[in-house]
Amino acid sequence: MTLSIIIVNYNVKYFLEQCLYSVQKAISGIDAEVFVVDNASQDASIEYLQPIFPRIKFIASKTNDGFAKANNKALHKCSGDYILFLNPDTIVAEDCFANCIQFFKQHKDCGALGVQMIDGSGKFLPESKRSFPSLSAAFYKLVGLSLIFPHSKKFNRYALGNLSKDDDYEIDVLAGAFMMLNKDVVEKTKGFDETFFMYGEDIDLSYRVQEAGYKNYYLGNQKIIHFKGESTKRGSLNYVRIFYNAMSIFVKKHYSSSKATFFSTVINIAIWFRAIVSLFQVVINKSGLLLLDAIVVYFSLYFTKEFWIYIIRDGKAFDGPFTQYSVPTFTVVFIMGALLSGIYDNLYKPLKALIASAASVVVLLAFYSLLPENYRFSRGVILSGGVIAGLMVTLMRWIFVKFHWIKDNEANNFKQSVVVGSQSEYTQVLQLMQKADIEERLLGRIGMKDGEENTVGSIHQLKEIIKKASVNEVVFCEGVLTFSNIIREMDLLKDLRISFRFHSKKSHCIVGSDSKTSTGEILTAEGHFSLSNPYQLRMKRMLDLWISILLIVSFPVQFLFINKATSALHNAWLIILGKRTWVGYSSFQNTLPLIAPAILTSTGYPNNGKFPINNTVLKKTDILYAREYDWMQDLRIIFTNYRHLGGKD
């Protein structure tokens, strides 16, 4: 056996499906075996994938034991000369594995190798090549200097920012998302250290490969897509905590005790600092940006007025009854002008802030001109203060964008898509979009050759079509296109600020992710489900919690309204713990969005397995519930069937 591939899956069956299609093509002509270790997924991954991929060896874990343990479960079953640890949310090129194996044969000192990874938008992922963690590297990464100076050898040493991403290098650390090792090296290092639950295990294994006398290589000319953000929410504080704790474990294991203690102390302080920054970011993105703008505008106008008094008027204060209310009043007028000009529709755009600010100054001056004569005090203060306020708001937007504290949400509500593929592939994508009720965003098909019928152009004209037709989403179909072709086309288009989606020839879904932190988009044969929307899931959870809390607080009274009040109280506690939901499915279907088991079904009947309607109707009702979900729907079902919240005999 030449190659053994191990993939650990956790609740990403549709991304894994695309991955396995690409792996099957990449192992063509190679004596290979593929293991999928499922870490107790709740989305029925194995049930969904096993019939599609009968040659894949699936290993089902009853518990989620983490990345390292899951890989090691399959490791002792491997018989290949080379072992590849691969993430489920990846797509590999057809020649990737063969080229990697050839590199091993040409470099006898190679113990392990990795490749260049790009995310779902075509952007390079810096963790493709890294150095071992040091105190200074960790500090620069935590405080954001590595982001500000991405190509600096000093400030971005951890991601080796000074090295070109497209060349081959001997490096320290490889990414566990794609890590191929010589079998002899695996036997010497004994695989991943199971002390690490998630993150850090690849750093540790890379270190031990070098300790065993071998080298780690990064192949910049080999590219794979790594969607990221699918198995974990990388932007969350929990990710920060887990990641830097993993670094701390690594340092304690391999560095001197005094250095490790100091490193861990600094890391803990840094995590608290990052927590404050993360909280600040949440406030900005939710509702606090308007308040911050108001504060900036208020002080800009206030200091402009004070400057005017002491410099221009030689210390003489303005007269009039309105003077003391002028700054807060004009601040409110400024913010109203900004609201009307759309500054909060696209938070990320500094230019939008500048335009909104200019509009606000006009509104301010118009408001000022309407005031009675005895309420006016200085056009100069209003004009100059408004301009300064506008510049300060614009500067603040620029800083927030630079540090990624506000997210790009432009044009996400309107997509104009093209499909790159054959006529039959276009039809498959069209059918999926029709099921999701989004076929209106499909502009047409991009053919492989110039002059093809029923196309809006050829792949050679794709860049020009995107620009001229305002296309902001490209669906690549694997079939006529190879995965290698798709990765190459993404590289050519990555600077156009568009979304990429992917559809393998035999699959029944389309997947994509616009950044390494986003949860991505999935369209399946069952259509698009509103219940997959993070907003709807949050609202569902909030409704569950409020109903549960109200029921518990008013429990004695509930004996008058609920048939089995004690059972309802028990259900409320289960819901608070996240183990149940008040309203949900009547039967399990692996194609539906994953939610907790329900007390009441989408039909309104208690979920006790006894229904007066047949299973076909129940399944259709569940599909409709997930597709058209709105939290008000749950509220109506709960209100109508309130007496049965404790279940029914």
Side-chain angles (χ1 to χ4, degrees):
M1 185 73 68
T2 303
L3 177 64
S4 296
I5 301 170
I6 302 173
I7 303 172
V8 176
N9 173 65
Y10 182 66
N11 288 332
V12 287
K13 64 182 180 184
Y14 293 116
F15 283 89
L16 177 56
E17 180 185 4
Q18 305 296 320
C19 172
L20 291 175
Y21 278 122
S22 72
V23 166
Q24 280 189 337
K25 294 188 75 173
I27 61 175
S28 178
I30 300 174
D31 186 17
E33 59 185 356
V34 181
F35 296 90
V36 170
V37 183
D38 186 74
N39 251 351
S41 294
Q42 297 175 306
D43 65 349
S45 292
I46 292 181
E47 292 87 342
Y48 174 76
L49 294 167
Q50 204 161 29
I52 304 174
F53 303 99
R55 295 180 60 191
I56 304 296
K57 301 174 182 179
F58 289 89
I59 301 172
S61 294
K62 293 183 178 179
T63 57
N64 182 2
D65 297 322
F67 181 80
K69 277 189 178 181
N71 274 296
N72 289 345
K73 281 181 182 178
L75 191 56
H76 72 277
K77 299 177 183 290
C78 295
S79 56
D81 297 327
Y82 303 96
I83 311 294
L84 172 64
F85 300 107
L86 183 68
N87 266 32
D89 53 346
T90 57
I91 290 178
V92 299
E94 285 79 0
D95 60 353
C96 180
F97 299 158
N99 289 340
C100 289
I101 292 170
Q102 186 63 30
F103 187 91
F104 269 110
K105 292 178 178 179
Q106 294 172 351
H107 297 78
K108 300 300 181 183
D109 60 347
C110 179
L113 62 78
V115 297
Q116 180 182 159
M117 300 186 297
I118 59 175
D119 67 16
S121 65
K123 295 183 179 63
F124 171 69
L125 291 170
E127 52 267 47
S128 302
K129 51 180 176 65
R130 292 171 288 170
S131 65
F132 288 125
S134 65
L135 190 59
S136 59
F139 175 77
Y140 295 144
K141 181 176 172 63
L142 273 167
V143 300
L145 287 173
S146 60
L147 185 66
I148 299 173
F149 305 103
H151 303 297
S152 169
K153 184 177 181 179
K154 178 179 180 181
F155 294 126
N156 199 19
R157 174 169 174 72
Y158 182 64
L160 301 174
N162 60 308
L163 301 181
S164 169
K165 61 183 176 61
D166 298 314
D167 295 327
D168 298 346
Y169 301 101
E170 177 191 343
I171 62 170
D172 287 333
V173 178
L174 302 171
F178 185 108
M179 194 173 185
M180 187 180 289
L181 293 89
N182 186 307
K183 180 67 177 293
D184 294 336
V185 176
V186 173
E187 290 175 350
K188 289 181 180 179
T189 57
K190 296 181 172 55
F192 289 115
D193 183 347
E194 296 180 6
T195 306
F196 299 88
F197 181 83
M198 184 178 291
Y199 307 121
E201 62 283 301
D202 49 2
I203 303 175
D204 175 73
L205 184 54
S206 297
Y207 188 91
R208 287 186 284 118
V209 167
Q210 291 190 355
E211 274 192 326
Y214 295 88
K215 294 179 179 179
N216 298 315
Y217 282 94
Y218 162 77
L219 307 188
N221 61 346
Q222 293 295 319
K223 291 183 181 180
I224 70 167
I225 301 170
H226 182 201
F227 290 105
K228 302 179 73 68
E230 301 313 318
S231 295
T232 56
K233 296 182 178 179
R234 295 180 54 83
S236 68
L237 180 59
N238 190 49
Y239 158 73
V240 173
R241 181 182 60 80
I242 293 173
F243 178 78
Y244 286 104
N245 280 342
M247 290 181 68
S248 183
I249 292 171
F250 172 82
V251 170
K252 287 178 182 178
K253 179 178 178 180
H254 295 292
Y255 294 175
S256 65
S257 58
S258 59
K259 186 175 182 180
T261 301
F262 181 65
F263 186 97
S264 297
T265 302
V266 173
I267 286 295
N268 286 327
I269 294 171
I271 288 173
W272 278 104
F273 169 76
R274 189 62 177 266
I276 295 170
V277 172
S278 296
L279 180 62
F280 182 58
Q281 182 178 354
V282 169
V283 169
I284 292 170
N285 278 298
K286 297 297 180 185
S287 58
L289 196 56
L290 186 146
L291 179 61
L292 289 172
D293 284 348
I295 292 170
V296 169
V297 172
Y298 178 89
F299 283 105
S300 297
L301 291 169
Y302 176 80
F303 286 119
T304 301
K305 188 184 81 168
E306 294 301 306
F307 174 85
W308 208 270
I309 290 171
Y310 290 106
I311 303 299
I312 306 299
R313 294 171 60 88
D314 295 324
K316 183 182 178 182
F318 291 108
D319 296 324
F322 187 62
T323 304
Q324 59 180 321
Y325 306 111
S326 61
V327 172
T329 301
F330 286 124
T331 297
V332 171
V333 174
F334 186 101
I335 295 299
M336 289 176 63
L339 276 166
L340 291 171
S341 61
I343 189 174
Y344 301 107
D345 296 333
N346 296 297
L347 303 181
Y348 77 100
K349 253 188 175 178
L351 180 59
K352 188 80 172 179
L354 189 61
I355 294 171
S357 300
S360 296
V361 171
V362 173
V363 173
L364 270 179
L365 290 172
F367 177 77
Y368 179 84
S369 65
L370 295 174
L371 290 173
E373 190 68 34
N374 61 322
Y375 279 86
R376 301 179 191 178
F377 61 99
S378 173
R379 277 195 183 87
V381 171
I382 297 301
L383 180 60
S384 55
V387 170
I388 292 170
L391 291 174
M392 292 302 294
V393 168
T394 304
L395 176 63
M396 186 174 69
R397 284 293 193 287
W398 180 84
I399 293 171
F400 289 171
V401 169
K402 193 69 177 175
F403 283 91
H404 299 280
W405 289 347
I406 53 179
K407 297 179 181 179
D408 178 352
N409 61 352
E410 184 190 59
N412 283 338
N413 295 325
F414 177 77
K415 295 280 189 183
Q416 186 150 280
S417 312
V418 292
V419 175
V420 185
S422 67
Q423 183 60 49
S424 62
E425 291 163 352
Y426 173 80
T427 302
Q428 291 174 13
V429 171
L430 176 60
Q431 289 172 348
L432 288 170
M433 287 190 167
Q434 285 172 337
K435 287 179 178 292
D437 294 324
I438 55 172
E439 70 271 18
E440 72 280 352
R441 77 190 198 191
L442 195 52
L443 184 64
R445 179 172 74 91
I446 302 295
M448 297 299 104
K449 300 176 183 177
D450 294 335
E452 273 191 62
E453 293 183 358
N454 301 319
T455 65
V456 295
S458 71
I459 195 168
H460 311 106
Q461 304 166 314
L462 181 55
K463 198 167 189 176
E464 183 181 358
I465 292 169
I466 290 170
K467 291 179 178 178
K468 288 187 175 180
S470 300
V471 171
N472 51 18
E473 181 179 71
V474 176
V475 182
F476 286 114
C477 296
E478 179 274 326
V480 175
L481 283 174
T482 65
F483 287 112
S484 298
N485 293 150
I486 292 171
I487 292 172
R488 185 169 59 251
E489 288 298 322
M490 285 178 66
D491 193 50
L492 295 173
L493 303 172
K494 65 186 177 186
D495 296 325
L496 293 184
R497 199 178 179 81
I498 58 175
S499 300
F500 297 113
R501 300 291 179 257
F502 307 88
H503 173 66
S504 295
K505 180 167 56 178
K506 296 180 181 179
S507 72
H508 297 90
C509 65
I510 301 170
V511 302
S513 179
D514 294 334
S515 74
K516 67 181 183 180
T517 59
S518 69
T519 55
E521 182 179 58
I522 300 171
L523 296 179
T524 73
E526 291 293 340
H528 176 74
F529 298 106
S530 177
L531 195 49
S532 297
N533 187 305
Y535 165 77
Q536 295 291 2
L537 287 171
R538 283 196 304 272
M539 291 303 296
K540 182 177 182 63
R541 179 62 178 155
M542 288 296 295
L543 180 64
D544 277 350
L545 289 173
W546 276 111
I547 296 294
S548 300
I549 292 169
L550 287 172
L551 192 150
I552 291 169
V553 170
S554 62
F555 175 65
V557 181
Q558 300 306 323
F559 280 101
L560 301 174
F561 302 102
I562 301 177
N563 290 338
K564 298 170 67 177
T566 306
S567 296
L569 181 65
H570 177 68
N571 290 339
W573 281 116
L574 290 176
I575 287 167
I576 288 173
L577 295 173
K579 295 181 178 181
R580 295 287 189 276
T581 181
W582 283 120
V583 183
Y585 308 136
S586 56
S587 62
F588 175 76
Q589 297 183 59
N590 61 24
T591 54
L592 296 180
L594 182 67
I595 58 174
I599 306 301
L600 299 174
T601 68
S602 57
T603 62
Y605 292 105
N607 194 13
N608 57 1
K610 301 175 183 178
F611 305 107
I613 49 181
N614 63 49
N615 288 335
T616 302
V617 174
L618 288 173
K619 288 183 178 180
K620 288 182 178 179
T621 304
D622 286 344
I623 291 170
L624 185 63
Y625 171 79
R627 184 177 293 163
E628 307 296 333
Y629 180 79
D630 183 86
W631 64 272
M632 287 294 293
Q633 185 177 352
D634 276 6
L635 189 59
R636 285 192 295 270
I637 292 173
I638 291 169
F639 181 78
T640 305
N641 302 277
Y642 195 76
R643 295 189 65 83
H644 303 307
L645 292 185
K648 187 177 180 181
D649 296 331

